[in-house]
Amino acid sequence: RQPSLPSPNPEVKLHLISPRITLKRSMMTTFRACIAISLLLYLSLAHQAMAFCVEKCRRRQHVSGLHLGFYRFDTESNSANNANSASLDSASLSLDNSDASLNELVPQITSLDGLDEYLDFLGGDPDDDRLTVIKFYASWCKSCAKFGLRYKKLALEEGDKVKNGKLIAPGRVRFAEVEFGANARLCRSFGIKRLPYIHMHKGSAGKVEDFVCGPKKFQQLVDKVNEYADMSVDDAMLKKELEKGDALGNEVIRELRGEQSATNATQVFRI
């Protein structure tokens, strides 16, 4: 005969299950508390954002009474603040308008594409003897990008000024630019191997200067512009001929020195 098993004690069973129930209830309570805190934070942030937006609208539009949900701003009780905000807004509006008018004034830098446009730009107006500066650059060149910022500033100071597509004030220098990638054959025909490169023309005198000019040597371009801008065409042609004469004289001197050194070497060899 098998001994009978003792009957389960209900108190022991409850004692074993109660910790699980307690843990589950505590987790649910913590979860609900977190949700409540999150909702409170969200409502607080929404309240502050709504108040900020309404206050901004009140200052901009100057309404006498603005109702938005449970927000109400009565300007009659804050007339002094509204007057101050109105004066500040009018001042900022005038400054914005002045900045806009300055920003609309831009330099006229003509973009040239191909040899025909290049020649038309130089000889389009035979009576225009102003100095012409043409920049050769590439869109992928970092030095050209840095150079271009100073080039635009120089064009705004010395070149034609345009506002809304209309010429406002003519300058003493004309500015243009040629992109290397779209005009590679033209640039190679000019012998351009380094960028940025500058061509300078003075009316009927033709090209008076051409040189490589990086961002660090931009002052060289400024000095050349100041030198040729107010120079007459006759003086520019004379200077050009003198420079050609100097170049020819230097070449003759180099040839004579070369012949002399060759003669000396032959005499030494005979000795």
Side-chain angles (χ1 to χ4, degrees):
R1 185 179 181 183
Q2 296 180 355
S4 59
L5 297 174
S7 60
N9 190 356
E11 296 180 358
V12 175
K13 186 175 181 180
L14 292 174
H15 178 71
L16 295 175
I17 296 174
S18 59
R20 296 180 181 178
I21 297 174
T22 304
L23 180 61
K24 186 176 181 180
R25 290 179 178 175
S26 62
M27 291 177 63
M28 291 296 294
T29 304
T30 304
F31 180 71
R32 292 173 180 171
C34 292
I35 292 177
I37 294 173
S38 300
L39 289 175
L40 289 175
L41 291 175
Y42 176 77
L43 292 175
S44 177
L45 293 175
H47 177 82
Q48 294 178 4
M50 186 68 70
F52 175 77
C53 293
V54 173
E55 182 67 18
K56 189 174 182 180
C57 292
R58 182 185 64 81
R59 290 182 178 179
R60 289 295 179 90
Q61 298 177 2
H62 309 294
V63 295
S64 60
L66 179 62
H67 298 270
L68 183 60
F70 50 89
Y71 294 96
R72 174 182 173 83
F73 294 91
D74 191 0
T75 56
E76 294 179 357
S77 60
N78 298 322
S79 57
N81 294 331
N82 289 336
N84 294 331
S85 62
S87 60
L88 291 175
D89 289 340
S90 60
S92 62
L93 183 60
S94 61
L95 289 176
D96 293 340
N97 293 332
S98 61
D99 293 340
S101 61
L102 291 176
N103 292 331
E104 291 176 358
L105 194 64
V106 295
Q108 184 175 7
I109 302 177
T110 306
S111 180
L112 306 179
D113 187 11
L115 180 60
D116 294 338
E117 292 187 5
Y118 182 89
L119 296 177
D120 290 341
F121 181 76
L122 293 177
D125 187 1
D127 296 332
D128 192 354
D129 292 333
R130 290 182 297 171
L131 177 65
T132 300
V133 181
I134 302 176
K135 174 190 70 172
F136 295 84
Y137 73 103
S139 57
W140 43 263
C141 177
K142 294 183 179 179
S143 298
C144 297
K146 295 179 181 178
F147 181 88
L149 297 176
R150 299 182 180 181
Y151 189 76
K152 289 181 180 179
K153 184 177 179 181
L154 179 63
L156 184 61
E157 294 175 355
E158 303 290 347
D160 297 339
K161 299 172 182 60
V162 181
K163 183 177 181 180
N164 296 328
K166 297 181 180 180
L167 181 63
I168 301 300
R172 60 175 187 165
V173 183
R174 296 194 304 156
F175 290 87
E177 58 185 9
V178 177
E179 207 279 320
F180 182 86
N183 302 274
R185 181 178 298 180
L186 176 64
C187 295
R188 293 192 183 98
S189 66
F190 290 143
I192 297 174
K193 298 180 180 179
R194 296 177 60 186
L195 297 174
Y197 201 86
I198 296 296
H199 278 185
M200 301 180 70
H201 296 256
K202 183 66 177 180
S204 58
K207 185 171 65 176
V208 293
E209 293 286 346
D210 62 326
F211 52 92
V212 179
C213 187
K216 295 182 180 180
K217 297 181 180 180
F218 190 82
Q219 186 60 38
Q220 180 182 0
L221 175 60
V222 177
D223 295 339
K224 294 290 185 182
V225 168
N226 292 328
E227 180 182 0
Y228 285 100
D230 297 329
M231 185 183 295
S232 64
V233 176
D234 295 336
D235 292 341
M237 294 179 67
L238 178 61
K239 185 176 184 300
K240 184 179 178 180
E241 295 297 329
L242 290 175
E243 290 179 351
K244 286 183 178 180
D246 292 340
L248 180 60
N250 293 331
E251 185 177 356
V252 171
I253 292 174
R254 285 196 297 269
E255 291 180 355
L256 292 176
R257 288 179 178 177
E259 293 177 357
Q260 184 66 29
S261 61
T263 303
N264 295 335
T266 304
Q267 292 178 355
V268 171
F269 180 74
R270 288 178 179 178
I271 293 174

